[in-house]
Amino acid sequence: MIAIQLPDGSKREFPQAVTVAEVAASIGAGLAKAALAGRVGAGADAKLVDTSYLMEADTQLAIITDKDADGLEVIRHSTAHLLAYAVKELFPEAQVTIGPVIENGFFYDFAYKRPFTPEDLAAIESKMSELAKKDERVTRTVLPRDEAVSYFKSLGEAYKAEIIESIPADQDVSLYAEGKFTDLCRGPHVPSTGKLKHFKLMKVAGAYWRGDHRNEQLQRIYGTAWASKDDLQKYLIRLEEAEKRDHRKLGRELDLFHMEENAPGLVFWHPKGWTVWQQLEQYMRAVYRDNGYLEVKGPQILDKHLWEKTGHWDNYRDNMFTTESEKREYALKPMNCPGHVLIFNQGIKSYRDLPLRFGEFGQCHRNEPSGSLHGIMRVRGFTQDDGHIFCTEDQILEECIAYTQLLRKVYADFGFTDIIYKVATRPEKRVGSDALWDKAEFAVMESLRRSGCEFIVSPGDGAFYGPKIEYTLKDALGRQWQCGTMQVDFNTAERLGGEYVTDASERAHPVMLHRAIVGSLERFIGILIEQHAGALPVWLAPTQVVIANITDAQADYVAEIVKSLQKQGLRVHADLRNEKITYKIREHSLQKVPYILVVGDKEKANGAVAVRARGNQDLGVMALEDFIAKISADITQKA
């Protein structure tokens, strides 16, 4: 007998080997119909399998349906295959390459003689629906590698053959077939195409074969798939809202910044956008000042040998811009840490000087691939609120705890309270001993525990010099943005000769904590624009108040108001144009100005202002002093 243990602890026994589908059927017809896959085994050894998977010995089994996260991933993976099936039906000459699951959906890359059009996309989606309704079985077969290569070559699928040829010759490969279409895949997949009902193709984009710009360009079709029609509709509505909030669109409409091909991946800040930048920078400068940081500034270009010493040259060379002068090779800094060590190295440091906290608004450059650039969210030139704490080993935990508390306060001031905490541990390619990595990993995890933060562990995702905490915030649409970081590094200061004198009058290397709260200021401003749909909080808004007159008779009174508000440190604009007041109100409302003050003869006579707040709110007439008190409270409260 074979005993199958279910998640609720119950067991079912079968006289012979049994499939996942058969176990589901033994539980009930409803579960048999809903089953998409199975999770066989326990703990770290558990694996996701098809419903046709045969269990030949006692094991644990969870039946996966569309209610499970794994079930949704199986749906999306299978829908990617359905997309490729439909493309081959409509465009037989197209070659298929790869089609993975991504966040909220999937994509598939194709090689075809001409670009796919929007009309093609609609036809492909229609064909996918037609194929899904056939409810064709999805079956798995296993072939020796060389036999699989020959099979795909016989189909004219050169890309698939190349992928399989990269697999060791002694390995077998699995293929999945549905109807006339067969694809290389590890699986698992849904038992039949009829399980795929709620999907939509989103767009076509360019992509390079194997992600290398030196290879031929392919066409990437993106799609989304969900467990229910309602989930799909909600996602599409979120996308519509995200499109309205797109920082690139709002950046143009609100005259904040622009980007162009004369400087790919770099930002041209306009006066309004630079005002927002300055408010963010000054806020973070106050954070430095109030939390024991000393602000420093390092050079943009450093000798190649310095980057070799730190290990960046070996681990990060492809992302660095380089230059040469007098037969010496230099690199534009992609990060600020080496420069801070060189500042630390000036003069003798004692244990009494530690922890020593340096902060810099450091301008960095990284040679990001052009295909990854995205407005001001992903650029080649950016400024970080970068900080490094030089401390003793005994001070690590306390510093990490204090930093997490500080980060929470900063994020709350910007309107973000939902934070996800992740610890990224040692990667395979790293520097330093395992003993030091043990200490560093313990410190970051324990600091989160003592801060009352639940966290997830991401094995192998740490920096090459140390583990890190990644702080990810959720925005108004539920999207996640990884911004803050804290990295514990026992290696870099030592590699660059950083030392301090201990209480025993001996020399020791400080531990270096790399930390950033908002990260790239450019990216964080982009996040803020999308979070607030361009309607930035009063304290951040480039123009906080517009004063609009009804006739020329109030021009002198407008000038008085401007002077009074500017004395309060407010950012004010006077609109004295010979236009109807309704026109002025509408125009400044579209510019998302927090407050519009309208003044006519009555307001002038009474020393008052008619106040309109953003969102078409008429707050009525009030004394200027009362308005100043109101807006000052908004700014103080970060409202």
Side-chain angles (χ1 to χ4, degrees):
M1 299 291 286
I2 293 176
I4 305 297
Q5 183 175 324
L6 300 173
D8 63 1
S10 64
K11 287 186 178 180
R12 288 186 173 259
E13 293 188 336
F14 300 87
Q16 57 194 18
V18 63
T19 66
V20 173
E22 289 169 340
V23 175
S26 75
I27 297 171
L31 185 59
K33 184 177 180 181
L36 299 176
R39 190 185 301 109
V40 174
D45 295 327
K47 62 180 180 179
L48 209 59
V49 299
D50 301 301
T51 58
S52 61
Y53 180 81
L54 191 65
M55 295 168 286
E56 300 178 293
D58 295 355
T59 189
Q60 294 183 29
L61 169 67
I63 307 295
I64 303 299
T65 71
D66 61 15
K67 300 293 190 294
D68 301 293
D70 284 339
L72 186 54
E73 180 150 333
V74 170
I75 287 173
R76 288 172 175 164
H77 196 175
S78 298
T79 309
H81 279 226
L82 185 67
L83 163 60
Y85 184 6
V87 168
K88 290 297 290 184
E89 287 286 289
L90 294 173
F91 308 99
E93 295 178 10
Q95 290 193 60
V96 295
T97 63
I98 58 169
V101 172
I102 57 174
E103 185 180 9
N104 295 321
F106 57 90
F107 70 76
Y108 214 114
D109 289 347
F110 300 94
Y112 192 53
K113 59 188 177 185
R114 65 165 176 81
F116 289 126
T117 65
E119 292 75 19
D120 292 334
L121 216 60
I124 294 167
E125 186 177 308
S126 177
K127 176 60 73 172
M128 290 171 66
S129 296
E130 177 188 321
L131 295 171
K133 287 176 183 176
K134 289 184 176 182
D135 197 23
E136 295 176 307
R137 277 190 67 205
V138 179
T139 58
R140 179 178 185 268
T141 57
V142 176
L143 292 178
R145 188 206 72 167
D146 290 344
E147 193 173 324
V149 169
S150 299
Y151 172 73
F152 280 102
K153 282 184 176 179
S154 73
L155 298 177
E157 297 289 356
Y159 293 91
K160 281 293 180 194
E162 183 179 327
I163 292 171
I164 301 171
E165 284 177 329
S166 66
I167 297 171
D170 60 347
Q171 290 189 13
D172 293 340
V173 296
S174 62
L175 310 181
Y176 281 82
E178 51 198 88
K180 303 174 186 176
F181 179 70
T182 301
D183 204 353
L184 166 73
C185 192
R186 284 179 297 185
H189 284 282
V190 295
S192 68
T193 59
K195 303 290 186 184
L196 311 175
K197 299 175 181 177
H198 311 292
F199 52 80
K200 184 171 181 57
L201 299 185
M202 308 304 297
K203 64 178 181 178
V204 181
Y208 292 105
W209 171 233
R210 293 188 179 274
D212 190 333
H213 69 277
R214 293 165 295 191
N215 290 338
E216 54 270 44
Q217 192 166 32
L218 307 171
Q219 296 185 72
R220 177 169 294 176
I221 298 179
Y222 286 93
T224 188
W226 296 84
S228 70
K229 183 178 181 180
D230 187 50
D231 287 344
L232 174 59
Q233 289 304 314
K234 286 179 180 177
Y235 174 70
L236 296 177
I237 290 169
R238 287 201 305 273
L239 281 185
E240 287 178 14
E241 182 60 30
E243 189 173 346
K244 293 176 189 174
R245 294 168 179 254
D246 190 318
H247 74 281
R248 296 166 297 181
K249 171 177 172 286
L250 291 170
R252 292 190 301 271
E253 292 176 356
L254 302 179
D255 194 24
L256 301 176
F257 62 85
H258 84 277
M259 306 183 79
E260 58 179 72
E261 279 305 306
N262 287 308
L266 302 170
V267 189
F268 293 83
W269 290 102
H270 298 189
K272 289 182 180 180
W274 192 242
T275 298
V276 177
W277 172 286
Q278 288 294 321
Q279 295 309 305
L280 175 57
E281 182 178 328
Q282 292 307 319
Y283 171 88
M284 292 308 302
R285 180 164 280 118
V287 169
Y288 283 172
R289 182 187 63 240
D290 296 343
N291 291 275
Y293 287 85
L294 303 174
E295 190 172 338
V296 298
K297 188 69 174 177
Q300 290 291 105
I301 300 173
L302 294 167
D303 191 287
K304 167 189 171 183
H305 295 302
L306 181 74
W307 300 107
E308 289 175 332
K309 285 182 181 178
T310 62
H312 287 95
W313 194 261
D314 290 337
N315 291 277
Y316 214 78
R317 168 67 185 87
D318 291 343
N319 290 96
M320 298 171 74
F321 287 104
T322 59
T323 186
E324 187 178 301
S325 176
E326 297 180 341
K327 298 184 179 179
R328 287 181 67 180
E329 196 168 358
Y330 299 87
L332 270 72
K333 63 177 180 182
M335 62 278 296
N336 302 291
C337 21
H340 288 192
V341 180
L342 297 186
I343 295 172
F344 177 88
N345 288 351
Q346 299 303 300
I348 297 173
K349 301 294 187 299
S350 161
Y351 71 95
R352 299 180 186 274
D353 298 315
L354 306 184
L356 181 58
R357 306 180 187 97
F358 287 158
E360 178 179 0
F361 297 102
Q363 190 173 6
C364 301
H365 289 82
R366 296 180 184 176
N367 191 13
E368 303 283 2
S370 59
S372 69
L373 301 177
H374 179 70
I376 63 175
M377 299 285 206
R378 187 74 176 267
V379 290
R380 286 175 172 163
F382 58 95
T383 300
Q384 287 183 311
D385 69 314
D386 209 359
H388 293 91
I389 302 169
F390 297 88
C391 64
T392 67
E393 189 176 322
D394 292 340
Q395 293 168 333
I396 296 173
L397 193 55
E398 182 180 344
E399 288 297 315
C400 288
I401 292 170
Y403 172 72
T404 295
Q405 293 171 345
L406 173 61
L407 177 137
R408 285 167 156 175
K409 166 67 169 58
V410 171
Y411 283 1
D413 281 349
F414 287 104
F416 301 106
T417 56
D418 194 348
I419 305 170
I420 299 167
Y421 305 89
K422 181 170 75 172
V423 173
T425 59
R426 69 194 76 183
E428 286 188 22
K429 192 175 182 181
R430 60 183 182 268
V431 297
S433 69
D434 284 344
L436 291 179
W437 276 88
D438 289 342
K439 292 179 181 180
E441 290 175 354
F442 171 79
V444 293
M445 291 185 191
E446 184 63 16
S447 74
L448 289 176
R449 293 188 192 103
R450 295 195 188 184
S451 299
C453 303
E454 293 185 7
F455 61 90
I456 57 176
V457 176
S458 182
D461 283 345
F464 69 89
Y465 49 76
K468 57 184 176 179
I469 306 172
E470 293 179 346
Y471 302 84
T472 299
L473 52 85
K474 282 188 177 181
D475 70 7
L477 298 182
R479 296 173 301 181
Q480 298 181 10
W481 305 96
Q482 194 267 305
C483 294
T485 185
M486 165 60 81
Q487 304 169 5
V488 178
D489 178 3
F490 279 88
N491 300 289
T492 300
E494 179 180 355
R495 286 181 164 221
L496 295 183
E499 291 182 335
Y500 69 95
V501 179
T502 70
D503 57 357
S505 298
E506 297 174 344
R507 297 276 181 169
H509 303 293
V511 180
M512 191 173 179
L513 308 182
H514 308 247
R515 44 107 292 175
I517 298 178
V518 303
S520 159
L521 270 66
E522 287 83 356
R523 181 169 178 265
F524 197 72
I525 290 173
I527 293 169
L528 288 171
I529 291 170
E530 297 200 2
Q531 163 79 356
H532 298 287
L536 294 171
V538 180
W539 71 283
L540 278 173
T543 301
Q544 295 168 315
V545 187
V546 165
I547 306 105
N549 61 331
I550 295 177
T551 69
D552 289 342
Q554 300 93 41
D556 56 343
Y557 181 49
V558 169
E560 292 176 20
I561 297 172
V562 168
K563 189 176 294 185
S564 296
L565 296 182
Q566 286 178 337
K567 282 183 179 178
Q568 301 297 320
L570 297 172
R571 297 183 291 278
V572 187
H573 171 70
D575 188 344
L576 300 173
R577 293 175 298 166
N578 185 23
E579 298 284 357
K580 290 181 178 180
I581 192 64
T582 52
Y583 176 84
K584 293 181 182 181
I585 291 172
R586 172 174 168 74
E587 189 172 81
H588 296 301
S589 296
L590 290 173
Q591 285 295 301
K592 305 183 186 293
V593 176
Y595 289 105
I596 302 170
L597 306 185
V598 178
V599 295
D601 288 338
K602 286 183 180 179
E603 287 78 19
K604 179 180 178 180
N606 297 319
V609 289
V611 183
R612 299 185 68 89
R614 191 163 47 198
N616 201 29
Q617 299 180 66
D618 186 349
L619 303 186
V621 177
M622 64 179 71
L624 183 60
E625 293 77 13
D626 292 340
F627 171 72
I628 290 173
K630 174 174 177 49
I631 192 171
S632 297
D634 287 347
I635 292 169
T636 300
Q637 297 165 12
K638 301 288 188 291

